[in-house]
Amino acid sequence: MARLRALRGSIDNIDAAVIHMLAERFRCTQEVGRLKARHHLPPADPAREAEQIARLRRLALDARLDPDFAEKFLAFVIREVIRHHEAFPRGHESAPALAGGVAR
């Protein structure tokens, strides 16, 4: 039981780190959204998305993680990022408030 508690403690720490990393990622992508709006760029960038998917699949294989899972996870993140970017009016730097960097 001590080993189980220790493993669960490590899992809890990893989950906390993942949440903090996602929060930071979305703070960065919000700034990207502001820049795209300011420069009249579209919210989505299919070429960049394809590059990122290929990159993440390679990273997943290197880490012995299912690349299909990694791709699905990135697809979810990309959908959220695009949703955030669409919240920024074209040519403006502000958008509706997004709690914790994630649109509600």
Side-chain angles (χ1 to χ4, degrees):
M1 291 309 291
R3 180 71 178 141
L4 179 60
R5 280 191 300 277
L7 287 170
R8 286 181 173 167
S10 291
I11 289 168
D12 291 349
N13 290 342
I14 293 165
D15 289 347
V18 167
I19 293 301
H20 286 278
M21 289 188 311
L22 285 172
E24 186 64 23
R25 188 190 199 289
F26 280 103
R27 277 189 286 278
C28 291
T29 60
Q30 289 237 311
E31 182 63 22
V32 168
R34 285 184 196 92
L35 290 169
K36 284 182 169 187
R38 185 181 312 145
H39 296 284
H40 304 281
L41 298 171
D45 184 345
R48 166 115 170 115
E49 293 165 23
E51 289 171 9
Q52 287 298 94
I53 289 169
R55 179 178 165 271
L56 200 66
R57 289 185 70 85
R58 287 190 307 272
L59 288 170
L61 286 169
D62 289 346
R64 294 187 309 268
L65 178 68
D66 179 358
D68 292 335
F69 169 78
E71 183 173 345
K72 288 175 190 174
F73 177 75
L74 183 61
F76 167 77
V77 169
I78 289 170
R79 281 192 307 274
E80 286 298 304
V81 167
I82 290 170
R83 219 165 55 116
H84 294 177
H85 291 187
E86 290 170 343
F88 291 99
R90 293 288 192 145
H92 295 84
E93 296 181 37
S94 61
L98 300 174
V102 178
R104 290 187 191 230

